[in-house]
Amino acid sequence: MSLDTTQHPHFVTASHLLKTVYGYDSFRGQQADIINDVLNGQDCFVLMPTGGGKSLCYQIPALVRPGTAIVVSPLIALMQDQVSALKANGVNADYYNSSLDFQAAEQVLIRLHNGELDMLYVSPERLLNQSFLQQLQTLPISLFAIDEAHCISQWGHDFRPEYHQMGSLRQWFAQVPFIALTATADFATRQDILDKLHLNEPKVHISSFDRPNIQYTVLEKNQPAQQLEKFLVKHPNQSGVIYALSRKRVEEVAEQLKAKGFKAKAYHAGLPAEIRQIVHQQFIRDEIDIVVATVAFGMGIDKPNVRFVVHYDLPKNIEGYYQETGRAGRDGLPSEALLLFGMQDVSTAKYFIEQISNEQQKMLENFKLSSMINFAEALTCRRNVLLNYFGEPSHKACGNCDVCLNPPQLFDGKIAAQKVLSCVYRLNQGFGLKHVIEVLRGADTDRIRQLNHQTLSTYGIGKEYSAHEWQSIVRQLIHLGFLQQDIQDYQKLKFTALSGDLLKGKIELQLAFAKKELKTSSLSSNSKSGKVGQRLAAKDTLLAEEQALFEALRTLRKEIADSEDIPAYQVFGDASLVDMVKKKPQTDGQFLQISGVGESKLARFGFEFLALLRKY
């Protein structure tokens, strides 16, 4: 990249570290500009999607600027992952949190005071301890990095009170640059972060939210256990996360998957800490393939080879959905995000929102849920819906979501809609979705006979559609505003202000036919976007003979990782292995040209990998 005269004099050092420590030839996106700003002592706010390279934006300045960088992180597991990865690259880093016993914590503080650490990861609680802050004031601090900064904002999807006091740091360390980073924040959340942190004339860097390597698929929830199994069969021996809203559901799904032979385990806040730690370690070390979890699992988990994320239940908001799906494909290789969407999930979410006493918070949660429903019900490119939500308008079909790969077939839905509305009217707006459909289809049930509903004029007028198809039609009518489910009255279907005009034929209506099967091929030949095709430097695109070498490299990586007691991806990521297969390096110099190979990893692992590559 070309450097202008405003670049910090040590930027050349930063570029050198990128190659020698991390094994990358060039910076991506806005990384270079952000790093230069921090090197110049400038406060920064960085909004960059998961997998976009946020960590390098503060890690490289921490290696260039004198002193120790303090990195604030919300989760112990996240700190451990990042410190372990830094150590694998030969960086002097450590963490200071409640997981350390007194002796271990004391050793970390001694290293800090002796100037032996380039980076120290701390929890917000430890950092804001007055005695610890006073100690830091006596030391040379290179920078403060506030990771997962959306936790600061009450407008964000993951507000954490302990983050709220971060702004007080500015008065203690007036001359130290601050960098706040997050992967997801809408406009209101961004402004709140800037206000709460009291950043000093910060440079704001907002990267594209687009993750073109992730394929987004939404499927109407219908026998979800079978839908999930069908999806997983197409992803053998691949790492993935399945999110469910309740602890009970998490355990049920995990047990079902284990019974089917999948290497899966449950993770939620109700499990003992030692169990959660074991599951976390087994997942990042590829000892299990699948974690079924509540949202308690995953924030910042630095595992690059997660190939899929499934939402078994509807997320509460788009920010959470985007962040959770972003844990797939951090290495840039093709990955999938599947959402199972059911109206019962919507009703449950609305019920909990109604329990909120703060009217402003209730309004916010309703807005966020409505936006999530709109995404799930979208009949246009899903990626565009996501990008538009985050203020990055896009009107070009992505070619890598279910709507683009399998466009919904539209039909004139006015008559079908009028049949539904007529039936709801004849039932005096007193019954739920299932009963309305049974009347429409002329079902012969005890309840219909007891209520004498077989005598209604709308009984049996909808036999042309299956129950599944009628469910889709009714759901579309609900989300288009022609019907509503009264959650305070047993989810009965009721009219809205728009119902009358549609029933009278004053409104023309296009509806989509219900999707009947799951389309999950992440490398579909039907893709209409060249952008996706250009990124397919994936394991799945390797030739048969190359696949054998890739698997041999994976086996060697696992053996080394086990012997070093580190996760396999901290030896080399999948993207590095693919690059090795393609380039087949034979010398140290050639091995250093592989993406993700720095001098430390060449020294530690180069001999064994080169020996294997020379055999081929």
Side-chain angles (χ1 to χ4, degrees), residues 275-414:
I275 299 295
R276 297 200 305 271
Q277 176 69 8
I278 289 170
V279 173
H280 169 75
Q281 290 297 320
Q282 288 178 328
F283 183 62
I284 65 171
R285 297 183 186 214
D286 294 331
E287 293 168 6
I288 57 174
D289 295 328
I290 301 166
V291 171
V292 187
T294 58
V295 292
F297 179 80
M299 180 186 284
I301 297 301
D302 196 17
K303 181 176 167 64
N305 65 330
V306 174
R307 293 274 70 89
F308 62 86
V309 170
V310 177
H311 283 87
Y312 201 85
D313 301 313
L314 183 73
K316 298 175 183 176
N317 49 63
I318 284 184
E319 292 95 334
Y321 171 79
Y322 178 82
Q323 186 179 52
E324 288 149 17
T325 56
R327 287 161 194 155
R330 292 171 64 105
D331 53 12
L333 301 183
S335 305
E336 293 194 52
L338 171 65
L339 166 61
L340 300 180
F341 173 63
M343 288 308 301
Q344 182 60 48
D345 295 343
V346 176
S347 298
T348 301
K350 286 184 175 178
Y351 172 79
F352 283 114
I353 289 173
E354 286 302 312
Q355 311 310 306
I356 299 173
S357 57
N358 184 305
E359 288 301 318
Q360 186 181 42
Q361 187 67 25
K362 183 187 293 187
M363 181 183 68
L364 176 68
E365 294 299 330
N366 270 315
F367 167 76
K368 290 182 179 290
L369 177 62
S370 295
S371 300
M372 188 67 233
I373 294 168
N374 290 339
F375 169 82
E377 290 285 337
L379 301 179
T380 56
C381 172
R382 296 199 194 280
R383 197 176 312 274
N384 288 350
V385 177
L386 284 176
L387 294 176
N388 283 322
Y389 180 84
F390 288 113
E392 187 182 337
S394 174
H395 304 288
K396 182 180 178 182
C398 75
N400 197 28
C401 71
D402 59 329
V403 177
C404 290
L405 294 170
N406 184 33
Q409 185 179 353
L410 300 179
F411 69 99
D412 185 342
K414 183 166 73 172

Side-chain angles (χ1 to χ4, degrees), residues 193-227:
I193 292 170
L194 293 172
D195 292 342
K196 295 289 193 303
L197 278 180
H198 304 301
L199 300 180
N200 183 22
E201 298 182 357
K203 292 286 188 72
V204 177
H205 297 271
I206 299 177
S207 301
S208 172
F209 284 87
D210 192 10
R211 295 286 306 282
N213 62 310
I214 297 178
Q215 181 185 107
Y216 299 100
T217 299
V218 178
L219 192 66
E220 290 181 26
K221 188 182 283 189
N222 182 30
Q223 296 182 310
Q226 293 180 22
Q227 291 173 307

Side-chain angles (χ1 to χ4, degrees), residues 433 437 441 465-472:
L433 182 149
I437 291 172
R441 299 194 71 242
Y465 295 123
S466 68
H468 176 62
E469 288 167 331
W470 276 120
Q471 283 177 7
S472 175

